[in-house]
Amino acid sequence: MDSETAGSITAMRARFTVDGSEDLEGRLEDLCTRVRDGICARIPRKEIEAIVLGGGYGRGEGGVLRTATGDWPYNDLEFYVFLNGPRLWQERRHGGAVRDLGERLSIGAGLHVEFKIDCLERWKSSPVSMFSYDLASARRVILGAEDIFKGCEHHLDGAAIPLEEATRLMFNRCSGLLLAREKLQKSVLTSEDADFAGRNLAKMQLAFGDAVLAAHGQYHWSARERGRRCACFPAANLPPWWAEVPAHHAAGLEFKLHPSRAVRTADELGAEHRRLAGLAMQLWLWLESRRLKESFRSASDYALSDLEKCPGTSAWRNHFLNLRTFGPKAAAFSRRYPRERLFNALALLLWETDVASQPRFLRRLQRELQTDALDWAGLVNVFKRIWPCYG
């Protein structure tokens, strides 16, 4: 038996969820088969090194939505297609076909099926990140050998995840809070809006503990193991807000494994949003003070500081990215990595009140986002258009 066949059999014995029904497991397995066949029909087999399912379902901890008609998947399905040759070149050649497959499968599956093209050779020299550690440590191989990450063993060291990865996790989850607030400010809250808000609140709860664990070199690929570590993490050297974190993490973990459609009112969701946003600000300022070795007293103190918040990046590449993302007007502030602009903008949009009516805040937001928008909603629209590029 060759290693590829053995890897496929091993993968098929694994579970996608902790306690989902056999019917759900079978439907997810069938979807993986269709993904494999669809990719092979669009890309020559000799160019494919592996097809891997990542995320919660790839690690056996995917969400199970209990309904009157049975168990259903809830989270997105994230597939990684590893191809021979340079990643950007292969993305140019096959990206369109792969995205088309994802759209077709998403319609039939009733959830978002996403594909990303990558190159294993790149992994051998790239530094460990939270994402690379998660995928290298636990995944479901749909096509290829189980030891596809041979030669990339440094990605298995969770303690080596740099502190900026904890900041990036909080940045993404706090951005989700910002978009949830946008939904909650609508005059009419639809069931879809309520579900979006509830899902992002739960992700924020989970991220509190995950970020602190990562900051102390204690992050683990399994959400359940992270839950155990949070529950017994020593609080001696942590600020008072840590007392709230283990309970939030436990609630976020329960939602991750057993999500539910939000049935709370706008007022109830709004009250929880305010509580979580307040805690998120404290954790953000603690984390960034720790990472940047600079004390920040408030969100505005952080956002208005001219301290470089993404050090160690290439000035010429930053210049190119700023021009590509924001246009020629960004040239005056183009030597810093664009994510720094979003860090500053997020801090003001999420944690400061009436930013549009305070000239110094509005000017800073317009400069960071390179926009003429004059109100909170317009500024948020610009932020959420750029965020996916640097999340």
Side-chain angles (χ1 to χ4, degrees):
M1 182 183 296
D2 60 54
S3 59
E4 180 170 313
T5 303
S8 299
I9 291 174
T10 301
M12 289 306 177
R13 287 176 181 161
R15 287 184 60 85
F16 296 95
T17 67
V18 174
D19 55 6
S21 67
E22 290 305 313
D23 180 63
L24 172 60
E25 292 285 321
R27 280 184 279 123
L28 289 169
E29 187 171 311
D30 178 67
L31 179 60
C32 287
T33 299
R34 284 184 283 139
V35 163
R36 182 197 63 201
D37 294 346
I39 291 294
C40 289
R42 289 164 172 78
I43 301 176
R45 178 63 186 90
K46 64 182 180 180
E47 296 185 33
I48 304 173
E49 293 183 285
I51 304 173
V52 176
L53 174 62
Y57 293 109
R59 295 189 287 273
E61 295 181 337
V64 179
L65 180 65
R66 313 283 192 196
T67 74
T69 58
D71 291 352
W72 292 88
Y74 184 81
N75 313 112
D76 296 344
L77 287 168
E78 304 165 350
F79 290 94
Y80 297 87
V81 183
F82 290 95
L83 303 179
N84 294 310
R87 177 173 59 91
L88 293 179
W89 170 245
Q90 291 290 29
E91 170 63 35
R92 182 183 294 271
R93 293 181 64 215
H94 300 298
V98 166
R99 285 190 292 273
D100 176 70
L101 176 62
E103 291 171 3
R104 291 172 181 270
L105 291 173
S106 295
I107 295 172
L111 73 165
H112 184 59
V113 178
E114 181 180 8
F115 290 102
K116 293 183 179 178
I117 291 175
D118 211 331
C119 168
L120 286 170
E121 193 62 32
R122 183 180 72 88
W123 278 57
K124 294 178 181 179
S125 58
S126 62
V128 62
S129 66
M130 194 173 287
F131 154 73
S132 71
Y133 163 75
D134 281 344
L135 193 65
S137 299
R139 71 277 171 189
R140 188 183 186 94
V141 179
I142 307 304
L143 180 67
E146 276 294 315
D147 63 347
I148 60 165
F149 291 111
K150 186 176 181 180
C152 307
E153 286 79 8
H154 63 288
H155 291 285
L156 297 172
D157 185 4
I161 295 173
L163 192 54
E164 54 261 32
E165 285 292 293
T167 292
R168 189 171 180 179
L169 172 65
M170 284 294 294
F171 168 61
N172 284 320
R173 294 300 174 254
C174 288
S175 296
L177 272 191
L178 179 65
L179 302 191
R181 177 180 165 189
E182 181 187 39
K183 301 283 188 186
L184 293 172
Q185 289 187 349
K186 289 184 177 180
S187 57
V188 177
L189 185 70
T190 66
S191 59
E192 290 81 8
D193 291 338
D195 183 58
F196 177 90
R199 180 168 66 250
N200 279 279
L201 293 177
K203 286 183 176 182
M204 187 76 260
Q205 289 180 295
L206 194 66
F208 291 145
D210 291 350
V212 173
L213 289 176
H216 287 86
Q218 294 295 312
Y219 183 83
H220 193 273
W221 63 264
S222 167
R224 289 178 293 169
E225 175 59 27
R226 297 199 302 274
R228 288 188 282 270
R229 294 183 181 190
C230 270
C232 61
F233 196 81
N237 297 320
L238 289 170
W241 49 254
W242 168 258
E244 302 178 47
V245 171
H248 280 304
H249 193 275
L253 175 59
E254 176 58 26
F255 187 93
K256 177 179 177 63
L257 298 177
H258 305 109
S260 60
R261 302 292 185 188
V263 293
R264 289 170 287 177
T265 67
D267 287 342
E268 290 170 335
L269 287 167
E272 183 176 0
H273 185 283
R274 288 188 291 275
R275 289 193 295 271
L276 296 182
L279 178 56
M281 183 183 71
Q282 295 180 74
L283 203 158
W284 176 270
L285 295 176
W286 169 82
L287 186 61
E288 286 295 81
S289 295
R290 193 179 160 92
R291 181 175 73 92
L292 300 172
K293 298 178 174 56
E294 181 81 14
S295 178
F296 301 107
R297 300 182 302 275
S298 66
S300 60
D301 185 34
Y302 174 85
L304 300 178
S305 167
D306 287 325
L307 181 71
E308 187 174 5
K309 299 184 176 78
C310 296
T313 53
S314 166
W316 72 264
R317 183 171 180 269
N318 292 344
H319 182 77
F320 168 75
L321 290 173
N322 275 284
L323 291 178
R324 187 180 70 178
T325 305
F326 299 100
K329 290 183 179 180
F333 307 98
S334 65
R335 295 179 64 82
R336 297 186 178 184
Y337 189 52
R339 190 181 291 133
E340 179 176 320
R341 295 172 176 270
L342 300 181
F343 284 176
N344 294 332
L346 174 67
L348 293 174
L349 291 170
L350 181 59
W351 292 311
E352 293 295 339
T353 57
D354 301 323
V355 289
S357 65
Q358 301 189 54
R360 63 176 182 150
F361 292 166
L362 180 59
R363 285 195 300 269
R364 188 62 176 235
L365 284 163
Q366 289 176 329
R367 191 190 86 175
E368 299 292 18
L369 299 175
Q370 289 297 297
T371 178
D372 295 325
L374 294 172
D375 60 6
W376 184 85
L379 293 163
V380 171
N381 274 331
V382 177
F383 177 92
K384 68 182 183 182
R385 187 177 69 244
I386 302 168
W387 167 49
C389 300
Y390 299 98

